[in-house]
Amino acid sequence: MKRIICLTYIGPDGRVQLPRKVLDKLKWKGEDYIKIEVKGQGKVELRKVN
């Protein structure tokens, strides 16, 4: 998979919005469930839950 690098921000309510091109590449859509795992050293892994 081609690497995509995007910049986004954390809103005042703590929400992070993933850029549309990231969602499109991953074929993720609204109302999908995502598992968030903190890996340490500032790394976070997101995975779609089937």
Side-chain angles (χ1 to χ4, degrees), residues 18 23 27-36 46-50:
L18 296 177
L23 296 173
K27 298 182 176 144
W28 291 1
K29 57 189 180 308
E31 306 206 7
D32 282 342
Y33 283 93
I34 306 299
K35 175 184 172 187
I36 302 170
L46 304 175
R47 289 184 181 268
K48 182 177 175 181
V49 178
N50 293 325

Side-chain angles (χ1 to χ4, degrees), residues 9-26:
Y9 66 97
I10 300 171
D13 60 356
R15 292 181 185 217
V16 175
Q17 185 170 349
L18 296 177
R20 172 55 50 197
K21 67 181 177 178
V22 171
L23 296 173
D24 290 347
K25 183 71 175 180
L26 295 170

